């Protein structure tokens, strides 16, 4: 009887463990199911803000997100796709900020004001993407250029016939306004919104009208110097 009793207890214990395993396994699956693309993208954004100059690796991001590397590879295949997905998400946020833009402004001015609105809430992330090198520079330019094309298509201010000139205007302006945005945000101007819009309008007035006594190359060099100065500051 004593042997039978112990055998029954052992059987019950094994049964309890067998029943517990599926539950444990189920909880693991649920945790993986909650690791969405959006969650991983948000973790990458936060990581960039907290560790601005640290190299970005899948293992470090996975540790930061409190998961394994598997969900990252399943969702994005590789680190470059992961970063580009995050860039897409940021530009969507910038684009959505248009609802707060002064509606009476020309779309050309609104486009750059959107950057200002985004950076006022996400200064460190804006710096990481537009003034720091995370290995997505060309992709960031292309994303910005795509939205720029949409903006100027509705602009009554901007006139440009050739796409090469259009890209040149955009790349020069991106350098200038990346520095200008952070200059305003860093100084903490409470009334900086109106001043930023004023500077934006003056910039494009200078760039779009025929310069008197100043060649195109000279104007471009001056612009690059302004952008470089803003970065170094």
């Amino acid at each position: 009887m004593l042997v039978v009793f112990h055998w029954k207890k052992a059987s019950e214990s094994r049964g309890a463990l067998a029943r517990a395993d599926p539950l444990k396994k189920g909880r693991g699956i649920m945790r993986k199911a909650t690791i969405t693309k959006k969650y991983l993208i948000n973790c990458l954004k936060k990581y960039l803000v907290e560790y601005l100059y640290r190299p970005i690796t899948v293992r470090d991001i996975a540790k930061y997100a409190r998961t394994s590397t598997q969900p990252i590879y399943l969702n994005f295949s590789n680190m470059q796709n992961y970063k580009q997905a995050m860039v897409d998400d940021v530009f969507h946020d910038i684009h959505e900020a248009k609802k707060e833009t002064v509606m009476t402004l020309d779309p050309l001015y609104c486009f750059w004001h959107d950057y200002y609105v985004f950076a006022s809430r996400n200064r460190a992330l804006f710096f990481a993407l537009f003034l720091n090198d995370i290995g997505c520079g060309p992709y960031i330019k292309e994303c910005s250029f795509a939205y720029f094309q949409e903006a100027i298509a509705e602009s009554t201010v901007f006139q440009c016939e050739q796409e090469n000139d259009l890209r040149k205007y955009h790349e020069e302006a991106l350098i200038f306004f990346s520095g200008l945005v952070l200059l305003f945000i860093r100084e903490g101007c409470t009334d900086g919104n109106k001043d930023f819009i004023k500077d934006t309008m003056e910039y494009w007035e200078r760039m779009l009208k025929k310069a008197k006594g100043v060649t195109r190359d000279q104007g471009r060099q001056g612009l690059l110097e302004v952008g470089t100065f803003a970065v170094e500051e």
Side-chain angles (χ1 to χ4, degrees):
M1 291 295 294
L2 183 61
V3 174
V4 172
F5 175 76
H6 282 295
W7 178 85
K8 289 178 68 176
K9 287 190 66 178
S11 298
E12 291 174 357
S13 298
R14 285 195 298 271
L17 288 173
R19 290 192 298 272
D21 285 343
L23 293 175
K24 184 178 181 181
K25 184 178 180 181
R27 286 196 297 270
I29 292 173
M30 287 300 295
R31 284 199 297 272
K32 289 182 180 179
T34 61
I35 302 174
T36 62
K37 282 188 176 182
K38 186 64 176 178
Y39 171 76
L40 293 172
I41 286 172
N42 286 337
C43 285
L44 180 53
K45 289 179 184 178
K46 293 176 182 178
Y47 183 88
L48 285 173
V49 170
E50 292 184 30
Y51 305 103
L52 181 61
Y53 298 108
R54 183 180 296 181
I56 306 172
T57 66
V58 173
R59 188 176 297 277
D60 287 339
I61 299 299
K63 182 178 179 181
Y64 184 83
R66 298 181 180 179
T67 184
S68 66
T69 59
Q70 184 181 22
I72 295 176
Y73 286 117
L74 287 175
N75 282 285
F76 306 103
S77 299
N78 56 58
M79 190 67 224
Q80 191 64 20
N81 288 343
Y82 185 16
K83 290 187 288 188
Q84 289 180 358
M86 182 269 297
V87 170
D88 288 338
D89 191 75
V90 167
F91 272 99
H92 176 74
D93 289 345
I94 294 174
H95 183 69
E96 287 298 316
K98 286 186 176 181
K99 61 187 177 182
E100 298 186 15
T101 299
V102 181
M103 298 306 296
T104 55
L105 286 176
D106 184 271
L108 174 63
Y109 306 144
C110 289
F111 175 80
W112 299 105
H113 185 256
D114 292 340
Y115 286 82
Y116 174 86
V117 173
F118 178 82
S120 66
R121 298 172 178 171
N122 307 275
R123 184 184 186 280
L125 181 58
F126 185 90
F127 180 89
L129 293 180
F130 291 93
L131 294 176
N132 197 28
D133 182 14
I134 65 167
C136 283
Y139 189 76
I140 290 172
K141 286 182 181 179
E142 283 302 312
C143 287
S144 180
F145 182 63
Y147 281 110
F148 183 69
Q149 287 178 297
E150 292 181 9
I152 63 172
E154 302 176 359
S155 173
T156 58
V157 174
F158 193 91
Q159 297 293 331
C160 183
E161 297 181 357
Q162 298 182 1
E163 185 178 354
N164 289 338
D165 291 335
L166 186 59
R167 284 186 175 276
K168 185 179 293 186
Y169 273 119
H170 169 261
E171 289 183 10
E172 291 177 352
L174 187 60
I175 294 172
F176 178 85
F177 283 101
S178 294
L180 185 66
V181 163
L182 289 178
L183 182 65
F184 272 88
I185 302 302
R186 182 176 66 244
E187 290 179 349
C189 303
T190 56
D191 298 326
N193 187 53
K194 291 181 178 180
D195 290 334
F196 181 83
I197 293 174
K198 179 175 178 292
D199 285 356
T200 300
M201 297 174 72
E202 289 178 352
Y203 168 84
W204 283 111
E205 183 181 358
R206 292 194 306 270
M207 295 301 292
L208 295 177
K209 74 179 183 180
K210 291 183 179 180
K212 297 180 180 179
V214 179
T215 66
R216 175 69 174 166
D217 289 339
Q218 289 174 328
R220 183 176 186 276
Q221 183 60 36
L223 175 64
L224 293 175
E225 289 174 357
V226 171
T228 301
F229 173 77
V231 174
E232 291 176 348
E233 284 292 305

